[in-house]
Amino acid sequence: MGPSRSFQNLLLLLLPLALALCSAAASGEASRRFWVENDTFWKDGAPFQIVGGDVHYFRIVPEYWKDRLLRAKALGLNTIQTYVPWNLHEPKPLSWEFKGFTDIESYLRLAHELDMLVMLRVGPYICGEWDLGGFPPWLLTIEPTIELRSSDSTYLSLFPGGQMVGSTTPKNRTTIIQQWRSYHHGAGKSIIENEFGSFGDDKNYLHYLVEVARRYLGNDIMLYTTDGGAIGNLKNGTIPQDDVFAAVDFDTGSNPWPIFQLQKEYNLPGKSAPLSSEFYTGWLTHWGERIATTDASSTAKALKRILCRNGSAVLYMAHGGTNFGFYNGANTGQNESDYKADLTSYDYDAPIREYGDVHNAKYKALRRVIHECTGIPLLQLPSKIERASYGLVEVQKVASLFDVIHNISDTLKVAFSEQPLSMELMGQMFGFLLYTSEYQEKHSSSILSIPKVHDRAQVFVSCSLGDVRKPRYVGIVERWSSKTLQIPSLSCSSNVSLYILVENMGRVNYGPYIFDQKGILSSVEIDGIILRHWKMHPVSLNAVGNLSKLQLIMQMTDAEASKVSIYGDSENKSQDVSLYLNEGISEEPAFYEGHFHIDSESEKKDTFISFRGWNKGVAFVNNFNIGRFWPAIGPQCALYVPAPILKPGDNVIVIFELHSPNPELTIKLVKDPDFTCGQ
């Protein structure tokens, strides 16, 4: 990536906005404008009705960006909305990413080529059922603790663009601002916070965001907020005195026009074009719930009530996509322990399904309504995307986590501490962290207590002088349930080694508990005594495709080592390991590998991996993290595998199963999604 392109893309992240309306205007067409007047949106001197929909570039493999935008255009949309997650683009402080999934410039260019406006929700906060609401988790390591979404001076200095207020803009950045503004439709349209009224009432924060936005985009840019269509939300989240337009969102069961009338009270006279900035076509689903669905007919009728009276609406979602990797968000209820993580699938019951299908009742019903109310011509429906069933795939166990923990933990990141450290302080922003310590056991069983663990801990024990690569599974301590666990006596001749594998299941993205650190966040007690002297291993899953080669080397090494006794006292050795020789391990985190062959490029098709019979874990296809599976609780049974991830020839699937695999050691590659597990 050349310097000019890097700076241009960097600017997109420096804009401290939650929503910016960009257009396909070519450079030099400064006369083109977008504004609001007489309670109407105007574009190029004519009234304009926003018929938009969310299509998030980071939830779609880049090879499918154009396909999904074409399907949105065929739905009748003239506008695309997308968040820009700060955490994806700045995973480490001042380390920016703009390639692959993060190549936002290419995504905007595609929308430009298709003559679609783009509502760009840049942040710093996006919500979006995305990990930490889009905030990078390294913010959680700042001391003293910062207050997110507030006028906290440290926070303001860290979010993209905030540090530039009051400084002199370098000449080269000024040039790039003008280049970026060429994507805008004249003045453009920019939101400064996403549903802030349901979070707080810090007006100084909102005023500051306006100041930053004006600095970067000029005084002619039309700024606006979006909040739920209720008095309290609008009162807290709007700032009409700054000439900031107030949009509203509400559920499809609400009567839109009384809410649009309320919206007028929080806008300047003549500046209140009716806009539902999030018209919900479906809803999110957490693990353990039934898959959320909404009726196609009632959804279409609700949209008709807006569009046929010349109101504007943005479908949330038009196309949901997938929470690949570890980026799913989570929600809480009455307290932070009432934790609910989102599925890997972000299908959202949207008209364009997770795998791109548009031949469904909801897509067709919404398409008819959009055409009827707006007169937007009906384009030909895109063809169906072919999907393949590659059949049954046998897998084999490659290694237990405890076999390879020293090989997949960066020795420079392994840490020692008197008390357990959070994942963030360990530099382990996503995935798993293994905590180890020792204690002196009693003759009877012991009680383990972890008052605060985020989010799910698997506990194992072994005799410290025994086979520490084969610890015994004890049980689970979960954020949302019991925080204590009974540990049986091992009758060790030495101390007991304690192993706690903690999974970060996704950070909270909405509400008062958004400051969501992960790992063990309290002391750990055995029978009321605080354990000290912890060793922490970050679990790296970046190269799981090499585990089979690693295990082959380890087996050869172990064969040599078995010829030499490493114990001075063979009696102690037999005493310590006899437990494991007699009892096998029913559950252990382990890696499994399977292969399937694709004959040619033309045979590459979308597919789904069914994990029925498996328990919980993460799956990788050709070293690409396709997400978490948890069929034991459901409702999602299968993970989506887009064709661009596959390749002609040998394709490798690696599964990190946290408990026990399908007893037949098989998975199945099928054509269709399945949301009926655990029901």
Side-chain angles (χ1 to χ4, degrees), residues 168-401:
T168 301
T169 304
K171 183 177 180 180
N172 61 345
R173 182 166 281 120
T174 302
T175 302
I176 292 166
I177 289 174
Q178 297 306 317
Q179 291 175 353
W180 189 85
R181 282 174 62 89
S182 71
Y183 281 102
H184 274 70
H185 202 90
K189 189 170 190 267
S190 302
I191 245 186
I192 63 167
E193 248 283 350
N194 183 26
E195 296 180 329
F196 186 74
S198 58
F199 176 81
D201 59 358
D202 186 346
K203 296 298 177 101
N204 289 333
Y205 173 49
L206 298 181
H207 295 318
Y208 186 82
L209 292 178
V210 172
E211 180 184 353
V212 178
R214 297 290 187 206
R215 179 175 182 86
Y216 279 105
L217 294 176
N219 292 324
D220 57 349
I221 194 79
M222 188 179 77
L223 303 177
Y224 72 99
T225 54
T226 183
D227 285 290
I231 293 175
N233 294 337
L234 289 165
K235 181 179 179 181
N236 290 340
T238 60
I239 42 176
Q241 65 272 30
D242 285 5
D243 193 22
V244 174
F245 173 80
V248 290
D249 55 48
F250 43 84
D251 62 59
T252 53
S254 301
N255 184 348
W257 290 97
I259 298 175
F260 288 143
Q261 191 63 36
L262 177 65
Q263 176 192 8
K264 281 190 173 186
E265 298 180 22
Y266 295 90
N267 277 309
L268 298 175
K271 301 286 188 178
S272 194
L275 170 63
S276 173
S277 50
E278 292 186 13
F279 174 86
Y280 299 110
T281 60
W283 200 246
L284 60 103
T285 305
H286 304 116
W287 290 108
E289 299 176 346
R290 289 188 176 275
I291 190 70
T293 59
T294 57
D295 177 69
S297 177
S298 61
T299 303
K301 288 178 181 177
L303 182 61
K304 185 175 182 178
R305 287 196 293 266
I306 297 173
L307 297 185
C308 279
R309 290 183 60 179
N310 206 35
S312 291
V314 179
L315 308 183
Y316 193 98
M317 301 288 297
H319 170 62
T322 310
N323 293 318
F324 293 117
F326 295 119
Y327 279 100
N328 65 277
N331 290 287
T332 52
Q334 296 300 314
N335 54 64
E336 67 174 359
S337 293
D338 186 10
Y339 171 85
K340 303 170 184 178
D342 298 326
L343 301 182
T344 296
S345 172
Y346 198 62
D347 180 83
Y348 214 84
D349 198 27
I352 306 171
R353 306 307 301 270
E354 178 180 14
Y355 49 98
D357 174 66
V358 296
H359 298 269
N360 60 76
K362 184 171 288 185
Y363 185 95
K364 294 174 182 178
L366 294 177
R367 187 168 178 260
R368 284 194 300 268
V369 163
I370 291 171
H371 174 67
E372 177 185 344
C373 294
T374 68
I376 293 175
L378 288 177
L379 302 178
Q380 183 177 352
L381 275 178
S383 59
K384 289 186 177 180
I385 297 176
E386 291 189 56
R387 305 191 301 279
S389 174
Y390 293 107
L392 202 67
V393 175
E394 294 183 352
V395 303
Q396 62 178 357
K397 181 179 176 182
V398 176
S400 161
L401 172 68

Side-chain angles (χ1 to χ4, degrees), residues 639-661:
L639 297 184
Y640 174 51
V641 183
I645 295 173
L646 304 176
K647 60 183 180 180
D650 184 51
N651 290 264
V652 182
I653 301 172
V654 175
I655 302 166
F656 181 39
E657 165 62 62
L658 296 173
H659 294 277
S660 54

Side-chain angles (χ1 to χ4, degrees), residues 510-523:
Y510 179 83
Y513 305 110
I514 193 172
F515 197 97
D516 189 18
Q517 291 178 308
K518 297 301 184 180
I520 297 177
L521 307 177
S522 64
S523 60

